[in-house]
Amino acid sequence: MNSHLSRPFIGLFLCLLLIAEVSAQTGRFQQAIDYEIAVNLDVKTNQYTGSQIISYTNNSPDELDKVFIHLYYNAFQPGSMMDERSRTIADPDRRVADRISKLKPDEIGYLHVTELKMNGKPVKFTEEETILVVYLDEPIQPNSTVKFESKFMGQTPIQIRRSGRDGEEGVRYSMAQWYPKVANYDEQGWHSNPYIGREFYGIWGDFDVKITLDKTYVIGGTGYLQNPNEIGHGYQDEGVKVPSPKGNTLTWHFKAPMVHDFMWAADPKYQHDKVQMENGITVHHFFIPGEKTSENWEKLKEYTPKAINYLSQHFGQYPYKQFSVVQGGDGGMEYAMSTLITGERSIRSLVGVMVHELAHSWFHGVLGSNESLYPWMDEGFTSYASSLAMSSIYSESKNPLAGSYSGYFKLAKSGLEEPMSTHSDHYNTNSAYSSAAYSKGATFLAQLGYVIGDEVRDQGMLKYFDTWKFKHPNVNDFIRVMEKESGMELDWYKEYFVNSTKTIDYGVKSVNPQGDKTEIILERLGLMPMPVDLIITYKDGSSEQVYLPLVIMRGEKENESGMPERILTEDWPWTNYTKSIMINKKMDTIKSVEIDPSMRMADLERENNKIEF
Ligand SMILES: [Zn+2]
């Protein structure tokens, strides 16, 4: 058979080749990048110059004749897209509002690439505000690695949004979004989003960063310090006497493996405390001591390791050897291995913001979903995880997700709701964005427990982390994990809850005597269909359950622990607005019938869920 191929065999062979070609073209790939950056910051002018060597690997099947590089600091200039947007949106963010338009030349931010070479040859580039467009005469070939060498200069803006200098609490430098950062290219193409206001999407790689600045400054942020015994400032090994530096500056050398961003903050007044966890993780805290900080930051040191342990147990092992909580920024913002948070807070608020930003390490740091397209997969899942972590840390018994549900209900009733599939910069209002991303995103997960069972959802979250860590999952990837975990089809759940603003409302329409039996009529009043758990409580104190899954789920959740015994399981097709159920008990034995007493289903009108006699 191997001496010659008959015509049909050749046809099949060609066909298979074609299929292989197509799947290579449509399959998933990830770009890879390594950064080597050296930067020198002048703490008098707030300006910096730097050089950058980027090793960029094109794992896509495409030739790239352009590359896009983020220059985020150019947003902090009068007339920028961020400036316009923050002044014209209906509900401005008070941190930005009209502040950018009033910045003086020494207060604006900028970041310019002054020289750029690829593989040793100069390349053409133009600056389009916050994006540098690089034109390549010689395209980057699939499966090849190129080397970009650049020089850049920047000015750190007055603290307005996320990063900057001289913030309200007096922190001198919160250096996030400070370096030229290559935009991501994936199976959906380039993501060269201008910096309007929302969050980020990056490529994982190894960062090697050398920062030179005034020797009195203490730096905290992303990365493992390589020269702690030269630097001191609380980093040195125990018992080491740190030599005093010769000049006025120190050069800090950090390495950060497998991260998609690099943040640092610096202040001469920082107190630096280290906590060594048993599992080998070192937790660093940096804050400016004072009446409004010292006591609570001292207490905070206890909470950070607790939160790391809780989140690792429930959402997957934290993969880095370090986490740094740094006072700075303008509220709370997550970065690789670190966070910038404002520090003059009550202890509860301080712990709350730390836990939230830390929880981002799982969804932003390690899963790394595109936050322009799927902000709720980061903010919502993070809010969900941090609410559970807070509830556990403070041993609270009330529903930790109650706030997320009420935030979502308020949004749904406001008339301002937009689908969660909206690009994060393009929501009509800031409030519709944040209620969708944070509250509805968290509700999505909490409610998923109602659909597939809490335990299955919890196992699914660990599976999700394991399957998709360092791979940029999208909404379908998440749904597929949960489908496999539950054995159900869940596309409808995504279509309705993510891609539409249709809402849920089920009600008990009537309970009618039928001789020795009782008929219960339920109705669907909302546009989004859901499975229904109906609990019947009898006057003798016992209770039973009727379970009505959707046909389109093609499966049933197992009865959850603590739930009454199921006396009936029957599909309720979504096309039917009412459902009649017959119970083999006399009506006068019934005390109440109630749809979802667990209140995990985001039912907008709870009043009609229960009839009590
Ligand atoms: Zn967040």
Side-chain angles (χ1 to χ4, degrees):
M1 280 293 290
N2 57 6
S3 58
H4 64 276
L5 289 167
S6 63
R7 286 185 75 88
F9 268 101
I10 291 169
L12 180 66
F13 183 63
L14 287 175
C15 197
L16 286 174
L17 265 184
L18 212 67
I19 289 166
E21 179 91 338
V22 168
S23 72
Q25 274 171 14
T26 54
R28 293 283 277 270
F29 60 86
Q30 265 175 253
Q31 305 300 69
I33 202 161
D34 291 321
Y35 287 91
E36 222 183 292
I37 308 175
V39 64
N40 199 318
L41 173 69
D42 181 335
V43 299
K44 291 200 181 69
T45 62
N46 307 305
Q47 292 168 356
Y48 56 94
T49 53
S51 63
Q52 197 180 44
I53 301 171
I54 293 170
S55 155
Y56 180 79
T57 304
N58 177 17
N59 289 319
S60 82
D62 310 316
E63 279 189 4
L64 303 177
D65 60 0
K66 270 190 214 134
V67 167
F68 298 89
I69 298 178
H70 295 284
L71 304 172
Y72 292 111
Y73 273 3
N74 295 336
F76 301 101
Q77 296 173 13
S80 70
M81 288 178 81
M82 182 187 273
D83 178 28
E84 289 289 339
R85 178 68 171 159
S86 61
R87 284 186 288 118
T88 54
I89 198 162
D91 55 343
D93 182 328
R94 61 162 187 86
R95 291 169 293 199
V96 192
D98 59 352
R99 291 180 61 209
I100 298 176
S101 64
K102 294 174 181 155
L103 292 178
K104 298 189 198 83
D106 63 345
E107 294 172 335
I108 63 165
Y110 60 74
L111 179 57
H112 303 306
V113 168
T114 51
E115 241 182 84
L116 181 60
K117 288 180 195 159
M118 187 178 92
N119 292 338
K121 291 184 200 157
V123 291
K124 281 178 276 182
F125 53 87
T126 56
E127 202 177 87
E128 294 181 1
E129 197 183 276
T130 54
I131 292 287
L132 189 78
V133 186
V134 181
Y135 303 92
L136 305 172
D137 291 334
E138 287 172 45
I140 308 172
Q141 297 301 316
N143 306 309
S144 75
T145 300
V146 295
K147 193 162 108 177
F148 287 105
E149 287 166 281
S150 73
K151 295 223 178 335
F152 61 87
M153 53 185 277
Q155 177 169 288
T156 308
I158 284 277
Q159 172 76 46
I160 287 182
R161 192 69 187 92
R162 298 197 180 91
S163 65
R165 67 177 171 87
D166 302 309
E168 271 175 22
E169 297 182 350
V171 172
R172 287 244 51 219
Y173 294 105
S174 298
M175 299 295 287
Q177 297 91 39
W178 59 278
Y179 62 95
K181 180 178 176 181
V182 178
N184 208 352
Y185 182 82
D186 63 17
E187 76 282 359
Q188 299 189 61
W190 280 106
H191 299 276
S192 65
N193 294 296
Y195 192 25
I196 309 290
R198 302 284 175 236
E199 296 181 10
F200 310 106
Y201 185 38
I203 311 167
W204 282 288
D206 297 343
F207 280 67
D208 182 305
V209 180
K210 289 189 177 121
I211 302 162
T212 303
L213 85 172
D214 186 290
K215 67 183 176 189
T216 61
Y217 280 66
V218 184
I219 295 180
T222 307
Y224 311 134
L225 186 62
Q226 301 297 299
N227 53 344
N229 295 335
E230 223 172 275
I231 294 290
H233 287 304
Y235 281 96
Q236 69 272 32
D237 299 324
E238 223 170 293
V240 168
K241 198 173 176 306
V242 180
S244 54
K246 293 206 177 71
N248 292 325
T249 59
L250 271 175
T251 297
W252 301 59
H253 183 197
F254 292 95
K255 282 189 180 179
M258 271 309 261
V259 292
H260 57 64
D261 205 0
F262 191 99
M263 179 281 287
W264 56 285
D267 194 285
K269 299 183 293 301
Y270 271 153
Q271 178 175 325
H272 173 200
D273 296 329
K274 260 193 296 194
V275 182
Q276 192 60 49
M277 291 175 63
E278 274 173 20
N279 55 13
I281 298 170
T282 309
V283 184
H284 300 261
H285 294 84
F286 300 86
F287 67 98
I288 299 177
E291 245 172 55
K292 292 177 181 164
T293 52
S294 296
E295 199 185 327
N296 290 340
W297 279 75
E298 185 59 40
K299 288 184 198 153
L300 183 67
K301 288 194 284 186
E302 256 179 66
Y303 289 97
T304 315
K306 274 187 199 169
I308 291 174
N309 285 336
Y310 178 89
L311 292 164
S312 292
Q313 197 186 334
H314 292 86
F315 298 96
Q317 183 57 48
Y318 180 78
Y320 302 109
K321 289 184 290 192
Q322 180 181 308
F323 187 75
S324 300
V325 186
V326 187
Q327 186 184 0
D330 58 11
M333 179 64 202
E334 67 278 12
Y335 295 101
M337 305 184 192
S338 60
T339 175
L340 278 173
I341 59 174
T342 47
E344 297 173 358
R345 296 165 176 268
S346 68
I347 182 65
R348 173 80 195 207
S349 163
L350 189 63
V351 174
V353 71
M354 175 278 290
V355 170
H356 178 93
E357 305 311 333
L358 167 68
H360 270 297
S361 296
W362 279 256
F363 304 101
H364 160 89
V366 176
L367 288 155
S369 298
N370 182 339
E371 284 193 72
S372 297
L373 300 180
Y374 320 107
W376 59 277
M377 291 179 72
D378 179 36
E379 293 301 349
F381 290 12
T382 295
S383 297
Y384 171 85
S386 56
S387 297
L388 294 182
M390 284 296 280
S391 173
S392 159
I393 289 168
Y394 283 96
S395 310
E396 287 168 344
S397 57
K398 66 170 200 267
N399 175 9
L401 275 312
S404 297
Y405 276 84
S406 63
Y408 162 60
F409 291 147
K410 217 175 132 200
L411 169 72
K413 289 173 181 172
S414 71
L416 296 172
E417 188 183 5
E418 297 171 60
M420 282 205 288
S421 54
T422 306
H423 184 294
S424 60
D425 275 314
H426 293 258
Y427 276 88
N428 295 325
T429 57
N430 281 319
S431 68
Y433 158 76
S434 54
S435 301
Y438 291 75
S439 302
K440 194 181 184 185
T443 302
F444 172 95
L445 271 190
Q447 179 174 254
L448 184 62
Y450 172 74
V451 178
I452 66 176
D454 282 348
E455 275 177 38
V456 178
R457 186 261 333 267
D458 293 349
Q459 278 306 313
M461 289 308 287
L462 289 167
K463 193 66 174 279
Y464 174 54
F465 185 82
D466 227 43
T467 310
W468 284 101
K469 58 185 171 190
F470 303 112
K471 289 194 183 110
H472 303 301
N474 62 37
V475 54
N476 294 319
D477 301 323
F478 177 80
I479 290 290
R480 287 297 294 134
V481 169
M482 290 299 171
E483 285 190 339
K484 287 176 190 167
E485 205 62 27
S486 65
M488 291 181 200
E489 284 187 31
L490 295 168
D491 53 344
W492 60 274
Y493 186 58
K494 174 197 71 181
E495 296 301 338
Y496 277 94
F497 210 64
V498 177
N499 295 348
S500 92
T501 57
K502 292 175 184 175
T503 55
I504 301 163
D505 180 21
Y506 278 89
V508 183
K509 192 172 185 194
S510 62
V511 182
N512 315 305
Q514 300 282 352
D516 282 351
K517 298 182 177 183
T518 305
E519 184 193 32
I520 302 169
I521 299 176
L522 305 180
E523 59 183 340
R524 174 161 78 84
L525 299 151
L527 289 171
M528 175 168 171
M530 284 287 280
V532 170
D533 292 353
L534 181 75
I535 308 301
I536 303 149
T537 306
Y538 300 98
K539 286 179 177 153
D540 66 4
S542 65
S543 55
E544 289 175 328
Q545 184 192 171
V546 172
Y547 175 50
L548 306 165
L550 293 165
V551 176
I552 51 177
M553 284 160 53
R554 300 286 169 214
E556 294 158 12
K557 78 172 163 184
E558 273 180 37
N559 200 15
E560 296 177 89
S561 62
M563 291 287 279
E565 193 193 330
R566 283 180 184 162
I567 49 165
L568 179 69
T569 296
E570 202 175 286
D571 281 344
W572 180 351
W574 71 267
T575 46
N576 302 10
Y577 283 91
T578 57
K579 175 82 183 163
S580 159
I581 297 146
M582 201 66 80
I583 304 295
N584 286 326
K585 294 247 171 86
K586 273 189 154 176
M587 189 167 144
D588 62 9
T589 64
I590 296 175
K591 184 165 169 265
S592 67
V593 294
E594 184 175 8
I595 294 168
D596 181 33
S598 78
M599 292 174 63
R600 288 173 297 170
M601 181 166 77
D603 188 317
L604 241 58
E605 302 298 337
R606 282 289 309 179
E607 250 99 275
N608 56 17
N609 282 33
K610 187 175 182 180
I611 288 185
E612 205 162 4
F613 301 100

